Amino acid sequence: MPAREMRMEMFLRALMRRDFNKAKSHLEKLEKMVGNDEWGRGYSKAINGFISALKDNDTDALIVQLVKEVDHEKAKQLLEHFEGILKHEFRDEYEKGYYTAWVELLTAYLSQKTLGVKRGKR
């Protein structure tokens, strides 16, 4: 598995546990990996948005909905949708970076055997 995908899995696990300090650490490493070109800025925008939405508990945000209630079917549909967007030739590099972050996050999400915080612990 490529390093960025492994880092995305660690980032996702930290988000699922709501361990924002650890998630921020993974986010910073992801940002270094993707760089600061247009594609990298789009990717960074998406991953920063994941943390912000969860910190703010924005119930309208897709990431919050997926974390609150594990829904593999919804995740599969979103993954297919975002992969389709990436195939559009007219997308600029910023958008491609943004949607690549979503594709990688959803791929990591779907690859997890167990998702979310262990029940009974707070």
Side-chain angles (χ1 to χ4, degrees):
M1 176 183 294
R4 194 175 73 219
E5 290 173 14
M6 285 176 47
R7 183 64 60 186
M8 179 59 84
E9 280 197 14
M10 292 184 276
F11 175 67
L12 171 67
R13 286 187 206 125
L15 289 177
M16 298 297 287
R17 293 188 313 269
R18 295 188 174 276
D19 183 347
F20 296 118
N21 289 331
K22 183 68 90 176
K24 187 72 172 166
S25 172
H26 293 305
L27 176 142
E28 290 167 357
K29 290 175 180 141
L30 280 166
E31 288 182 323
K32 283 182 183 176
M33 288 178 182
V34 299
N36 198 26
D37 60 4
E38 277 300 299
W39 188 93
R41 283 193 291 277
Y43 191 99
S44 293
K45 178 74 171 180
I47 60 178
N48 276 287
F50 300 151
I51 288 181
S52 293
L54 284 164
K55 276 185 174 178
D56 296 344
N57 197 30
D58 180 357
T59 56
D60 291 332
L62 291 172
I63 187 69
V64 173
Q65 294 170 18
L66 290 171
V67 168
K68 277 192 169 190
E69 188 166 323
V70 175
D71 187 341
H72 286 277
E73 278 309 307
K74 184 174 187 171
K76 285 178 190 174
Q77 291 171 353
L78 287 168
L79 179 59
E80 289 174 14
H81 177 70
F82 293 143
E83 286 174 332
I85 288 173
L86 283 172
K87 292 178 183 171
H88 297 162
E89 291 181 21
F90 60 86
R91 298 289 175 183
D92 63 25
E93 288 302 303
Y94 183 90
E95 288 177 293
K96 288 177 184 176
Y98 183 88
Y99 289 111
T100 297
W102 266 106
V103 165
E104 290 178 2
L105 179 98
L106 290 165
T107 300
Y109 181 90
L110 290 167
S111 74
Q112 302 299 301
K113 288 186 180 17
T114 59
L115 287 169
V117 178
K118 290 180 182 165
R119 303 294 179 225
K121 289 189 176 183
R122 288 237 159 206

